[in-house]
């Protein structure tokens, strides 16, 4: 008796995920650490000097965290109501923050009480930042105004009231100490120069502006509002360079990595998208549990911190680089040691001893070997196999059809089993690799269970789904055939036609025959 041959499952190539240098780089973070704050995290800002602590603004507190600490190392809580936009100065020694009561407070990192309080806004202040000269602060509030303050004298230098809605974001130029930018819910981004009494440039974003970002060179400006992230050329008068629409909900925050070659955007759709600043294509993305309000990246991209609407702070630290120290491993035998003797040809007087190889059969192979067709089909109709490896189910059906026992395996089933069969066939019959086998299976099921149609609402529903799936596939095939006919006609008109023309050139009394090729 011949040995049983296991069922051959057709192997189909799978599309692998494209692995790029960006994928490897941004995947190099450890499992995130999560810290619960008292309210929604509206701002995260890293200190620009070592040890790169970061300030987290949430509710009525500002917490200072160390790079690896899970508890705040310092807290500023001198706020009557909510605090907003705590931002470090370039030397990391001062911290400015807005508040719900309309005051701008200036803190010394080594102290607790505010060093200065700037009064002038009539409504909450959501935007605070330092100019690059370190001695002036700009602010923006819900009273539609943008103010400039002098730190030593604690006085207001100038106030701009050009916005017509809440001012909710802003940034300062690192190149020019007099330039700062604000974004408002009036859909505009305005560029101010402290030496002038009005804005020097107005950019129409088209949606309420949630975040603005100026490149270190000062030539490019990024604005975020609605689902759009837009890049503008400031040196060309605010010309739009590119408009990105990769988020499904409002974009709330922006930041650059340490090299300035990658732009990060966070959104209410729970995603952080990473763009290349050369092609402005998404090179990687992170997915979070809830909507994102704030985002910050530490120098050298060592830590990425994300603040969410539910008050959770998500911190990811980069994995340490593996040291490339060559360990003293025991020398392994050479390859020839393992293949030694495999090519030896036995002589006539040699006695060969063959070691039988034990073959492990799967459950459905064991049942097929014992001619239990119905049970073999039941074994491959289990949900894990049907969902994850449908090619195994189809391979067993094909083997039963080859043996001529498929009809008997399909017959004699109850309502639940018929429902399972029809669900699988209706879902997979439109896949080209399974269509030839499953069309035969569908025909047999229809023939066998046609007399009981109308007796079970569940089975009737599955038959209707099967009919609908096959009908749609036929419609698609007809449309594709029409498109194919159109394409054939187009290709036929573009084929090169060789036309041979005979021209007579009667120069100097001589007749010359010229053959030319013309392409139409």
């Amino acid at each position: 008796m011949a040995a049983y041959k296991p069922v051959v499952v057709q192997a189909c190539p799978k599309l692998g995920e494209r692995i790029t240098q960006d994928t490897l780089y941004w995947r190099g973070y450890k499992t995130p650490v999560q810290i619960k704050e008292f309210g929604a995290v509206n701002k995260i800002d890293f200190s620009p000097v070592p040890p790169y602590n970061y300030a987290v603004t949430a509710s009525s507190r500002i917490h200072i965290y160390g790079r690896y600490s899970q508890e705040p190392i310092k807290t500023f809580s001198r706020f009557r109501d909510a605090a907003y936009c705590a931002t470090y100065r370039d030397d990391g020694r001062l911290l400015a923050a807005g508040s719900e009561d309309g005051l701008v407070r200036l803190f010394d990192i080594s102290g607790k009480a505010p060093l200065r309080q700037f009064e002038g806004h009539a409504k909450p202040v959501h935007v605070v930042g330092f100019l690059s000269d370190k001695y002036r602060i700009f602010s923006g509030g819900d009273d539609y105004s943008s103010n400039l303050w002098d730190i030593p004298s604690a006085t207001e230098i100038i106030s701009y009231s050009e916005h017509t809605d809440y001012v909710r974001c802003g940034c300062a130029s690192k190149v020019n100490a007099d330039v700062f930018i604000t974004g408002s819910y009036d859909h505009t981004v305005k560029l101010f120069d402290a030496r002038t009494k009005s804005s020097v440039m107005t950019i129409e974003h088209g949606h309420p502006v949630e975040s603005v970002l100026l490149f270190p060179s000062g030539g490019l400006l990024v604005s975020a509002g609605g689902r759009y992230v837009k890049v503008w050329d400031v040196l060309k008068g605010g010309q739009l360079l590119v408009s990105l629409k990769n988020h499904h909900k409002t974009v709330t925050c922006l930041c650059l990595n340490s090299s300035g070659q990658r732009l990060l955007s966070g959104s209410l759709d729970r995603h952080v998208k990473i763009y290349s600043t050369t092609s402005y294509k998404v090179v990687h993305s992170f997915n979070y549990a809830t909507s994102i309000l704030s985002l910050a990246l530490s120098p050298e991209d060592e830590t990425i911190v994300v603040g969410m609407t539910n008050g959770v702070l998500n911190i990811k630290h980069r994995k340490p680089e593996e040291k490339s120290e060559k360990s003293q491993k025991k020398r392994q035998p050479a390859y020839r040691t393992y293949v030694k003797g495999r090519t030896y040809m036995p002589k006539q007087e040699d006695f060969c001893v063959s070691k039988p190889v034990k073959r492990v059969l799967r459950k459905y192979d064991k049942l097929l070997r014992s001619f239990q067709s119905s049970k073999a089909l039941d074994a491959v109709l289990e949900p894990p196999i049907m969902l994850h490896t449908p090619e195994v189910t189809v391979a067993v059906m094909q083997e039963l059809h080859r043996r001529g026992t498929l009809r008997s395996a399909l017959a004699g089933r109850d309502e639940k089993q018929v429902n399972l069969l029809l669900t699988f066939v209706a879902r997979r019959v439109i896949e080209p690799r399974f269509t030839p086998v499953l069309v035969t299976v569908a025909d047999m099921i229809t023939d066998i269970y046609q007399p009981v149609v109308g007796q079970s609402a569940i089975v009737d529903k599955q038959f209707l789904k099967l009919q609908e799936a096959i009908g749609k596939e036929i419609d698609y095939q007809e449309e594709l055939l029409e498109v194919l006919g159109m394409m054939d006609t187009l290709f036929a008109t573009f084929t090169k036609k060789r036309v041979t023309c005979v021209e007579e050139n009667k120069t100097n009394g001589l007749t010359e025959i010229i053959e030319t090729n013309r392409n139409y």
Side-chain angles (χ1 to χ4, degrees):
M1 182 178 177
Y4 172 78
K5 295 181 180 180
V7 174
V8 178
V9 179
Q10 180 185 3
C12 298
K14 294 182 179 179
L15 294 175
E17 184 182 359
R18 186 182 178 187
I19 303 296
T20 62
Q21 290 298 324
D22 280 288
T23 305
L24 297 175
Y25 182 80
W26 294 104
R27 279 184 177 177
Y29 288 95
K30 299 178 183 177
T31 304
V33 176
Q34 293 191 347
I35 301 172
K36 187 73 171 80
E37 287 289 340
F38 291 96
V41 181
N42 62 73
K43 178 69 174 180
I44 303 166
D45 191 50
F46 272 91
S47 173
V49 296
Y52 305 121
N53 297 333
Y54 56 94
V56 177
T57 311
S59 185
S60 60
R61 291 183 173 90
I62 300 172
H63 287 157
I64 308 296
Y65 289 90
R67 290 176 70 180
Y68 298 102
S69 65
Q70 296 187 23
E71 294 291 335
I73 58 177
K74 194 174 188 63
T75 300
F76 298 100
S77 56
R78 302 295 180 91
F79 295 92
R80 299 175 187 173
D81 210 328
Y84 300 112
C85 195
T87 307
Y88 277 100
R89 195 168 72 172
D90 287 344
D91 57 4
R93 298 173 63 182
L94 295 180
L95 191 74
S99 62
E100 186 72 22
D101 55 14
L103 297 177
V104 177
R105 292 175 172 85
L106 184 68
F107 296 92
D108 187 347
I109 293 300
S110 58
K112 284 190 174 182
L115 290 178
R116 297 279 191 278
Q117 283 192 0
F118 304 93
E119 299 180 6
H121 286 283
K123 290 187 178 181
V125 179
H126 285 263
V127 185
V128 176
F130 291 91
L131 295 187
S132 57
D133 62 2
K134 303 179 184 178
Y135 298 109
R136 287 177 292 178
I137 293 175
F138 71 91
S139 62
D142 288 355
D143 57 358
Y144 310 164
S145 66
S146 303
N147 296 358
L148 195 62
W149 312 89
D150 181 62
I151 294 177
S153 62
T155 58
E156 181 184 290
I157 300 173
I158 191 171
S159 178
Y160 302 95
S161 300
E162 297 189 18
H163 285 293
T164 58
D165 206 335
Y166 300 154
V167 181
R168 287 298 174 93
C169 57
C171 64
S173 171
K174 296 184 182 297
V175 179
N176 192 324
D178 294 308
V179 174
F180 67 96
I181 296 168
T182 58
S184 169
Y185 279 5
D186 63 4
H187 300 191
T188 63
V189 177
K190 291 186 180 291
L191 188 146
F192 296 96
D193 191 322
R195 295 164 293 188
T196 63
K197 294 183 179 180
S198 61
S199 62
V200 295
M201 185 183 298
T202 299
I203 296 172
E204 183 68 34
H205 179 80
H207 296 83
V209 183
E210 298 284 351
S211 181
V212 290
L213 177 69
L214 199 61
F215 274 64
S217 64
L220 295 179
L221 170 69
V222 186
S223 62
R227 296 170 54 191
Y228 294 89
V229 175
K230 296 185 179 182
V231 183
W232 312 85
D233 191 335
V234 178
L235 302 180
K236 290 186 178 180
Q239 179 183 345
L240 178 63
L241 296 181
V242 64
S243 178
L244 308 172
K245 189 181 178 183
N246 297 98
H247 287 282
H248 302 296
K249 291 184 179 179
T250 301
V251 182
T252 55
C253 48
L254 298 168
C255 79
L256 282 171
N257 74 331
S258 55
S259 65
Q261 297 180 354
R262 295 293 180 266
L263 172 67
L264 286 75
S265 65
S267 168
L268 296 180
D269 64 3
R270 305 181 296 107
H271 287 86
V272 171
K273 303 284 184 182
I274 303 172
Y275 308 88
S276 167
T277 53
T278 53
S279 63
Y280 292 104
K281 292 183 178 179
V282 177
V283 296
H284 194 69
S285 64
F286 293 108
N287 187 18
Y288 289 87
T290 56
S291 300
I292 297 167
L293 283 183
S294 51
L295 166 70
L297 200 59
S298 69
E300 303 301 326
D301 306 339
E302 196 276 335
T303 306
I304 180 170
V305 185
V306 171
M308 292 174 274
T309 53
N310 60 353
V312 172
L313 200 64
N314 187 292
I315 305 118
K316 291 181 180 179
H317 296 286
R318 184 166 291 282
K319 298 175 183 176
E321 295 183 0
E322 297 179 358
K323 297 181 180 179
S324 58
E325 296 179 358
K326 295 183 179 179
S327 57
Q328 298 294 330
K329 292 184 178 180
K330 187 178 179 181
R331 186 178 177 184
Q332 300 291 334
Y335 175 71
R336 61 177 179 271
T337 305
Y338 297 103
V339 298
K340 186 177 181 181
R342 291 193 178 185
T343 58
Y344 176 75
M345 297 297 293
K347 298 178 182 178
Q348 187 175 3
E349 61 272 12
D350 290 342
F351 180 76
C352 299
V353 178
S354 59
K355 183 179 179 181
V357 179
K358 186 178 180 181
R359 182 178 293 175
V360 179
L361 296 178
R362 297 187 179 274
K363 182 179 179 180
Y364 56 84
D365 276 319
K366 292 179 181 178
L367 294 169
L368 286 173
R369 186 176 61 178
S370 57
F371 304 102
Q372 301 182 53
S373 304
S374 184
K375 290 184 178 180
L377 186 59
D378 291 338
V380 294
L381 286 176
E382 295 177 358
I385 296 178
M386 286 199 306
L387 293 175
H388 303 296
T389 55
E391 58 273 9
V392 174
T393 306
V394 176
V396 171
M397 289 179 175
Q398 188 173 10
E399 175 64 18
L400 292 174
H401 182 57
R402 187 188 67 81
R403 294 184 177 191
T405 57
L406 180 59
R407 180 177 287 272
S408 61
L410 294 171
R413 295 181 174 272
D414 58 17
E415 181 185 51
K416 184 178 179 181
Q417 293 173 331
V418 174
N419 180 39
L420 199 63
L421 264 172
L422 288 172
T423 303
F424 176 77
V425 174
R427 181 180 297 175
R428 301 290 181 178
V429 72
I430 59 175
E431 296 186 29
R433 54 178 178 161
F434 301 147
T435 300
V437 178
L438 293 184
V439 165
T440 304
V441 174
D443 286 339
M444 290 187 180
I445 294 175
T446 306
D447 291 341
I448 295 170
Y449 296 100
Q450 186 177 4
V452 297
V453 171
Q455 298 181 10
S456 170
I458 298 175
V459 174
D460 293 347
K461 185 178 179 181
Q462 293 301 328
F463 270 118
L464 290 174
K465 284 186 178 180
L466 177 61
Q467 182 183 8
E468 184 181 358
I470 294 175
K472 284 184 178 180
E473 185 64 20
I474 292 172
D475 292 340
Y476 291 150
Q477 295 291 340
E478 290 177 352
E479 290 178 7
L480 289 174
L481 287 174
E482 291 177 3
V483 174
L484 188 60
M486 296 176 190
M487 294 174 66
D488 288 340
T489 305
L490 291 174
F491 291 149
T493 59
F494 289 132
T495 55
K496 295 182 178 180
K497 297 179 181 179
R498 178 169 178 168
V499 180
T500 303
C501 299
V502 178
E503 298 180 1
E504 292 185 358
N505 186 5
K506 298 181 179 180
T507 306
N508 297 327
L510 297 175
T511 301
E512 185 180 356
I513 307 299
I514 303 173
E515 183 176 325
T516 61
N517 293 334
R518 295 182 182 175
N519 295 332
Y520 295 91

